[in-house]
Amino acid sequence: VYKNQFVVERGFRFIKSPEFLADSLYLKKPERIEALLFIMTLCLMVYASLERKIRTSLEKEDDFFIDQKGKPTQKPTTRWVFQTFIDIHLLSIGDTQQIVMNLKDYHHTLLRVLGYDYLINYLLISGWGISVEAESYLKEEQIEGAMLLQIHDKLIFEIKEEIVDDVALKLKYIMENIMELDVPLVCSVSIGDSWGS
């Protein structure tokens, strides 16, 4: 018996699932069947590599993703991870604005542990990661205030006047250090009595 043979067999069972329209081959020539099987095996290798990367990254960072029952796990399948990303959409507003919709905390966790190349595609488009970090800061420090609105990469907060200067500096620091970049990420902060001031 080959080492981890059941893992390989499970992969081929997955790739033959009717949901992926690969359980029937409508080909006659042997060379075409052989070529298609080669492509399917290559796809399975990419699928298995991603699953291994997800699991080793979660284990290394001692973090968790959710399973089908909503419980934390360090061994999600790639198929389940793909299913959780189905409802994520890119909303384009005009020619200048794009917003990633429906990202949850567990998506952010996974993208963070996978690394920069995965994270950058979501955070810099949506500003979502910044808003999550900012809200976590307000909650952890028990600050009387809240994030009222996010417009692309702009965040609007309501903070008590006596602490607004200190909170503004901390939020600026969070935004400028959300991730390591080769060039500095510069954030500007404005304080006023109303949104327009």
Side-chain angles (χ1 to χ4, degrees):
V1 179
Y2 293 106
K3 184 179 180 181
N4 291 330
Q5 180 179 352
F6 75 96
V7 178
V8 177
E9 291 174 345
R10 185 184 66 194
F12 278 97
R13 184 173 69 244
F14 156 74
I15 209 169
K16 292 188 292 184
S17 169
E19 296 176 17
F20 293 88
L21 304 177
D23 58 332
S24 300
L25 303 180
Y26 300 99
L27 300 171
K28 292 183 179 180
K29 294 184 177 180
E31 57 268 25
R32 290 197 173 188
I33 295 174
E34 189 175 316
L36 180 59
L37 290 175
F38 173 78
I39 292 171
M40 290 170 63
T41 304
L42 185 62
C43 291
L44 179 58
M45 184 177 72
V46 173
Y47 171 92
S49 297
L50 178 58
E51 186 170 282
R52 182 178 184 277
K53 181 173 179 60
I54 289 171
R55 293 179 175 189
T56 55
S57 297
L58 286 170
E59 185 177 355
K60 180 181 178 182
E61 296 293 328
D62 194 25
D63 226 323
F64 300 90
F65 196 67
I66 60 162
D67 63 13
Q68 289 90 329
K69 296 180 180 179
K71 295 181 179 179
T73 179
Q74 288 186 327
K75 294 185 177 182
T77 63
T78 306
R79 183 174 183 176
W80 170 243
V81 171
F82 284 168
Q83 286 177 344
T84 67
F85 275 78
I86 285 176
D87 292 329
I88 295 175
H89 303 284
L90 181 64
L91 173 64
S92 296
I93 304 173
D95 296 328
T96 58
Q97 207 168 24
Q98 291 183 318
I99 302 173
V100 178
M101 309 289 290
N102 302 325
L103 278 170
K104 308 294 184 188
D105 287 348
Y106 51 83
H107 293 126
H108 178 260
T109 298
L110 182 63
L111 294 168
R112 179 176 51 76
V113 300
L114 286 176
Y116 173 85
D117 291 335
Y118 296 82
L119 194 62
I120 192 69
N121 292 311
Y122 290 90
L123 294 194
L124 292 190
I125 290 175
S126 66
W128 176 80
I130 294 174
S131 68
V132 169
E133 294 293 333
E135 287 186 313
S136 295
Y137 159 68
L138 296 179
K139 184 177 180 180
E140 288 172 7
E141 297 297 323
Q142 298 181 337
I143 291 172
E144 291 187 44
M147 190 180 80
L148 302 179
L149 187 65
Q150 176 181 348
I151 306 172
H152 192 40
D153 57 349
K154 298 176 182 65
L155 306 180
I156 298 175
F157 296 87
E158 185 175 58
I159 305 293
K160 294 190 78 172
E161 188 173 353
E162 53 266 30
I163 60 171
V164 69
D165 291 326
D166 292 337
V167 173
L169 287 175
K170 180 62 177 180
L171 291 173
K172 177 178 169 65
Y173 176 81
I174 290 172
M175 293 178 185
E176 291 182 340
N177 294 276
I178 188 67
M179 64 193 321
E180 293 183 11
L181 299 172
D182 293 333
V183 294
L185 184 62
V186 179
C187 168
S188 61
V189 177
S190 300
I191 300 173
D193 295 329
S194 65
W195 294 4
S197 59

